[in-house]
Amino acid sequence: MRTITLEEHFLTQASLDAPGGEMFQMGRGAAQSALMRLGANLVAQLLDIGDQRISEMDAAGIDVQVLSFTRGLDAVQGDDEAVKLVREINDRLAAAVDRHPDRFAGFATLPTLSPERAADELERTVREYGFKGAMIHGHARGRYLDDEFFWPIFARAQELEVPIYIHPAPPPQAVVQASFVGNFTKEVTALLSTGGWGWHVETGLHVLRLILGGAFDRHPKLQIVVGHLGEALPFMMSRIERVFPQEVTQLSRPIGNYLRENVHYTFGGFNYTPAFLDLLLQVGSDRIMFSADYPYASMADARGFLERLPVSPQDKERIAHGNAERLLRI
C-alpha cells in the first residue's frame, strides 16, 4: 500500500540564523524541555532533507513525504528580509524535491505579512517547482486569515487549484497570559498553550473564523488542510452546526458544508482510534489523509496506526494515498 504523509517538517540553516531561530536550539527556555525529550538530534533531523531522512522513511514504510517548513516567520522584520528568507527556504526545498522526486513533494513557505508578495511566491513555487500548495502557521502577529488583508493569498491558491495547510501556532501572547498562565510552572504553561491544548483549539478557531468571515463564500473552490485529526473540530461539529444556522451566519451554505467540502484533515501524530472514528463519522473517508508529523512524532508509529485503522481496505487506501493524490495531483 502506497503511503503519502502531509505534515512532515524541515529547517534550513539560514532560518536558524534568522531572528527567532534560537527557539530551535535545544535547552533554551522552559518550552524547550518538551523538545529535549524528543531527542538531542531533533534539529539535525529537521535540517536533513536527503538520504538519512529517506532511510528513515524506508524503515517506517513511508513512500512520499510532502515537506513543509517547521515555523512561522513573524519574527523576521521587514518585507524584503522576509521575502529573501522565504525564497531561500523554498529554493532549498525545491532542490531536495528535484533530487528525490519520487520521495519528496513540497508545500511553499510564504511571507504572509505581505499578502501580494506571498501570492506571487506561491505562484512561483507552484509553476516553477511543482509545489503542491503552501503551509501557513496560524495567525500573523495576532492577525488572523479571515482578515481580508490576507485574501490575495486565497485568491491565488484558488486560481492555482492548490490547498493551504493551516498549521498550529501558539496563541497571541495576550491570550497566553489571560488563559494559560496559572497556579503551575512555566513549563506547564508552555505545554498547555501549545501542544497540550492551546494551539489545537487555536487552529480550530482559526478555521471557524475563516468560514464565518466569508472566506469560502468569496473563494468557494478554496481548499484548506488542518492536522491532528481536525484540531478538536470533529467533536464540536454537531454543536457548531446547531448553534450557527444560516439566518445567523448570513453565509451561502450551512456551516457544516464548509467543514465537509472545503476542509481536509490529517493525522499529524494523533494516533488515537476514538478521535479518528469521530472524524470519520463526521466527514467520511474522502476527507482524511495520512501524516506522521516527523520528526516530532514517529513515522513507524504512524504507519502502524494506519495499518490498524478499523476501516475497509478501500477506505484505508484512500486515507493512505488516494485522497492526497487527488488533492495534490501527486
Side-chain angles (χ1 to χ4, degrees):
M1 182 171 61
R2 189 184 191 207
T3 53
I4 302 172
T5 55
L6 274 77
E7 191 177 323
E8 320 308 318
H9 301 299
F10 76 99
L11 275 172
T12 68
Q13 188 58 52
S15 69
L16 283 176
D17 297 337
E22 67 275 2
M23 70 182 288
F24 289 99
Q25 302 298 340
M26 295 297 92
R28 296 190 182 184
Q32 292 305 308
S33 61
L35 292 179
M36 290 178 69
R37 297 189 194 106
L38 296 171
N41 67 335
L42 178 63
V43 171
Q45 289 176 304
L46 286 165
L47 288 170
D48 172 64
I49 44 177
D51 292 340
Q52 181 58 42
R53 182 181 291 245
I54 289 173
S55 176
E56 294 186 39
M57 291 167 61
D58 289 341
I62 305 300
D63 294 305
V64 178
Q65 282 190 348
V66 185
L67 299 169
S68 53
F69 190 63
T70 195
R71 56 176 284 228
L73 295 171
D74 290 358
V76 178
Q77 301 297 319
D79 290 350
D80 292 340
E81 184 183 358
V83 170
K84 180 181 177 181
L85 180 56
V86 161
R87 288 181 69 95
E88 184 276 335
I89 291 167
N90 289 331
D91 290 349
R92 183 160 193 276
L93 175 56
V97 173
D98 188 58
R99 286 193 300 271
H100 305 284
D102 295 331
R103 309 306 302 275
F104 295 146
F107 282 137
T109 301
L110 303 178
T112 45
L113 286 167
S114 302
E116 291 290 350
R117 299 177 78 173
D120 290 343
E121 180 65 6
L122 175 61
E123 182 161 356
R124 181 183 80 91
T125 57
V126 170
R127 296 199 185 281
E128 293 185 15
Y129 296 147
F131 281 9
K132 305 306 179 182
M135 178 173 281
I136 295 177
H137 290 256
H139 63 87
R141 299 181 191 167
R143 200 170 187 177
Y144 289 81
L145 296 173
D146 61 291
D147 191 323
E148 293 189 26
F149 171 79
F150 296 106
W151 287 11
I153 300 171
F154 294 154
R156 198 71 59 90
Q158 179 174 258
E159 177 186 333
L160 295 166
E161 298 182 337
V162 296
I164 301 293
Y165 200 126
I166 300 179
H167 189 277
Q173 189 55 44
V175 176
V176 174
Q177 189 64 35
S179 299
F180 296 102
V181 173
N183 187 30
F184 31 75
T185 66
K186 290 182 179 179
E187 181 181 1
V188 170
T189 290
L191 295 172
L192 183 63
S193 63
T194 56
W197 181 258
W199 68 25
H200 302 298
V201 295
E202 169 83 7
T203 307
L205 174 63
H206 204 148
V207 173
L208 292 177
R209 290 182 62 135
L210 285 173
I211 295 170
L212 295 169
F216 298 108
D217 281 356
R218 179 74 65 87
H219 312 289
K221 295 182 180 179
L222 175 67
Q223 299 293 308
I224 66 169
V225 185
V226 295
H228 310 112
L229 292 179
E231 310 291 14
L233 286 169
F235 179 82
M236 291 294 295
M237 203 171 290
S238 297
R239 177 70 170 179
I240 290 166
E241 291 178 285
R242 179 181 178 185
V243 170
F244 290 101
Q246 279 180 272
E247 55 266 30
V248 173
T249 65
Q250 299 298 300
L251 296 171
S252 64
R253 291 179 275 157
I255 193 168
N257 286 36
Y258 301 95
L259 290 165
R260 296 180 179 91
E261 296 170 9
N262 294 94
V263 186
H264 304 258
Y265 306 85
T266 77
F267 292 15
F270 272 45
N271 302 323
Y272 314 127
T273 301
F276 168 81
L277 290 173
D278 187 22
L279 175 62
L280 180 70
L281 290 171
Q282 290 287 4
V283 305
S285 63
D286 288 341
R287 287 271 150 181
I288 304 173
M289 297 180 289
F290 186 38
S291 65
D293 202 7
Y294 175 89
Y296 301 102
S298 163
M299 286 188 283
D301 289 350
R303 188 67 166 84
F305 180 68
L306 175 68
E307 292 290 349
R308 296 190 301 273
L309 288 181
V311 296
S312 70
Q314 294 81 7
D315 281 347
K316 192 172 294 185
E317 292 279 354
R318 292 187 188 99
I319 292 166
H321 64 92
N323 294 335
E325 290 166 346
R326 173 171 47 85
L327 177 66
L328 306 180
R329 299 191 294 277
I330 293 180

